[in-house]
């Protein structure tokens, strides 16, 4: 098999933040800035495309994913127990909008993003990454939030094909990416199928995003890379190697959406591993020949 091509340009660390669990990368076209989170550090970060003009906000609980609002200022975010509103400009504590009653006590929210219709899909996971209690919620408003059972210990994603007919969600602990037929009108999932299973040497599938050519980019937790795949058959098309092992999330951004931003983590690494990976928990950037897509807005 021919090896997938490597990225032509060097990956650079634009913010050596030492995040415990960097995640939630989101490029704001409106602000021309990148938002990302440290879930276990309970912090939200923002910076320019080059890593300058940094700002951070601290929270009383984990913050894991976010989306910009289509109308009105601020963000929709997932905190440990559900969906909340937060306005970085005001900096006041976030206000919960909806907390699903069905979630087991050991669960917390993890990755998520909006679909093209402006609905926020937020996944949950077992805090210890063991019990298969993770689900996905499609949140529209406090009285319109649908639960989709998954049975994953850790959920990551989601992402959608360019035509909007396929939705991808990662079963991270089992090293698998699943695909569903997606009914955009109803927000319904059907025809679940295994789409890609990682080899042991490739780590585990974490956050992901699509580029303008329709390729699916996936972060490799424990695999030191991100890879691009053909959505029709999961063929690996490109691989970007990083100087850190726990690669967590990816998002396209920058003025022309040609910068790939990559978050990472340092949680669980031994002192020897941290010495070998001084940039673990940092935010990375890579110039790409193909642009990404603007993030969908909530509402």
């Amino acid at each position: 098999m021919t090896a997938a091509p490597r990225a032509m340009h060097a990956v650079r660390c634009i913010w050596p933040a030492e995040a415990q669990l960097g995640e939630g990368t989101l490029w704001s076209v409106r602000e021309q800035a990148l938002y990302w989170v440290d879930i276990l550090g309970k912090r939200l970060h923002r910076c320019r495309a080059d890593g300058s003009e940094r700002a951070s906000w601290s929270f009383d609980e984990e913050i894991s994913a976010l989306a910009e609002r289509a109308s009105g200022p601020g963000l929709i975010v997932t905190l440990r127990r559900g969906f909340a509103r937060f306005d970085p400009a005001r900096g006041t504590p976030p206000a919960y909008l909806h907390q699903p009653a069905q979630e087991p006590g050991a669960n917390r929210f993890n990755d998520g993003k909006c679909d093209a219709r402006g609905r926020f899909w937020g996944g949950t996971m077992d805090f210890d990454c063991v019990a298969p209690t993770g689900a996905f919620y499609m949140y529209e408003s406090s009285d319109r939030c649908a639960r989709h059972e998954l049975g994953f210990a850790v959920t990551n994603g989601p992402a959608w094909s360019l035509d909007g007919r396929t939705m991808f969600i990662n079963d991270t602990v089992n090293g698998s990416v699943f695909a569903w037929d997606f009914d955009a009108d109803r927000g319904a999932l059907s025809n679940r199928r295994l789409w890609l299973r990682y080899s042991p040497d490739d780590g585990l599938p974490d956050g992901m995003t699509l580029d303008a050519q329709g390729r699916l980019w996936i972060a490799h937790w424990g695999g030191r890379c991100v890879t691009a795949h053909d959505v029709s058959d999961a063929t690996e098309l490109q691989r970007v190697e990083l100087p850190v092992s726990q690669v967590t999330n990816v998002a396209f951004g920058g003025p022309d959406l040609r910068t790939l931003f990559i978050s990472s983590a340092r949680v669980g690494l031994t002192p020897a591993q941290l010495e070998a990976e001084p940039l673990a928990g940092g935010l990375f950037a890579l110039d790409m020949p193909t642009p990404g897509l603007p993030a969908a807005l909530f509402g």
Side-chain angles (χ1 to χ4, degrees):
M1 180 184 295
T2 302
R6 268 52 176 174
M8 297 176 62
H9 304 289
V11 174
R12 57 193 183 276
C13 183
I14 62 171
W15 191 342
E18 298 187 352
Q20 288 299 303
L21 183 53
E23 266 283 5
T25 48
L26 173 76
W27 178 255
S28 167
V29 174
R30 186 161 53 203
E31 299 181 33
Q32 287 295 292
L34 184 86
Y35 283 98
W36 62 298
V37 304
D38 179 355
I39 298 178
L40 298 181
K42 303 176 184 177
R43 288 169 67 81
L44 170 68
H45 300 302
R46 184 183 65 198
C47 64
R48 298 299 178 188
D50 61 358
S52 65
E53 299 184 34
R54 299 171 183 171
S56 299
W57 297 263
S58 295
F59 295 80
D60 292 334
E61 57 189 284
E62 296 81 7
I63 175 173
S64 59
L66 54 151
E68 286 191 288
R69 299 171 64 197
S71 60
L75 308 167
I76 299 294
V77 304
T78 48
L79 301 177
R80 175 187 283 203
R81 301 186 303 276
F83 302 89
R85 183 173 60 245
F86 177 68
D87 186 354
R90 300 181 63 185
T92 52
Y96 264 109
L97 300 169
H98 181 70
Q99 296 183 43
Q102 305 98 318
E103 279 302 290
N107 269 20
R108 69 163 174 83
F109 271 80
N110 194 42
D111 204 0
K113 57 174 59 75
C114 286
D115 65 22
R117 302 288 181 91
R119 300 167 293 206
F120 197 128
W121 291 76
T124 60
M125 59 169 279
D126 173 42
F127 209 104
D128 294 325
C129 307
V130 176
T133 52
F136 247 96
Y137 290 87
M138 183 187 69
Y139 173 73
E140 295 182 78
S141 63
S142 58
D143 57 352
R144 298 191 67 182
C145 185
R147 176 186 171 98
H148 296 267
E149 297 288 349
L150 294 180
F152 299 166
V154 177
T155 62
N156 270 296
W160 291 266
S161 58
L162 281 183
D163 62 10
R165 298 174 62 183
T166 305
M167 182 174 178
F168 302 92
I169 302 174
N170 292 336
D171 176 4
T172 297
V173 168
N174 290 313
S176 301
V177 184
F178 284 86
W180 282 258
D181 293 342
F182 182 65
D183 184 331
D185 291 332
R186 298 187 299 120
L189 306 178
S190 61
N191 188 28
R192 168 174 163 166
R193 58 213 180 259
L194 178 66
W195 184 77
L196 173 66
R197 189 182 299 279
Y198 276 24
S199 70
D201 293 337
D202 272 339
L204 302 170
D206 208 311
M208 54 188 173
T209 192
L210 224 68
D211 67 21
Q213 291 184 353
R215 299 179 298 179
L216 184 62
W217 289 83
I218 310 175
H220 290 232
W221 175 274
R224 293 183 171 271
C225 66
V226 298
T227 52
H229 299 263
D230 187 323
V231 297
S232 64
D233 59 10
T235 298
E236 184 178 320
L237 304 173
Q238 189 171 353
R239 180 171 290 229
V240 175
E241 297 173 343
L242 285 101
V244 294
S245 57
Q246 296 180 162
V247 187
T248 56
N249 212 324
V250 287
F252 283 89
D256 54 5
L257 297 179
R258 291 179 184 271
T259 301
L260 184 64
F261 295 101
I262 307 165
S263 59
S264 66
R266 59 195 286 114
V267 62
L269 296 179
T270 66
Q273 289 172 316
L274 289 172
E275 184 177 358
E277 300 179 29
L279 296 176
L283 176 68
F284 298 85
L286 175 68
D287 296 328
M288 302 297 290
T290 300
L293 301 167
L297 304 176
F298 176 76

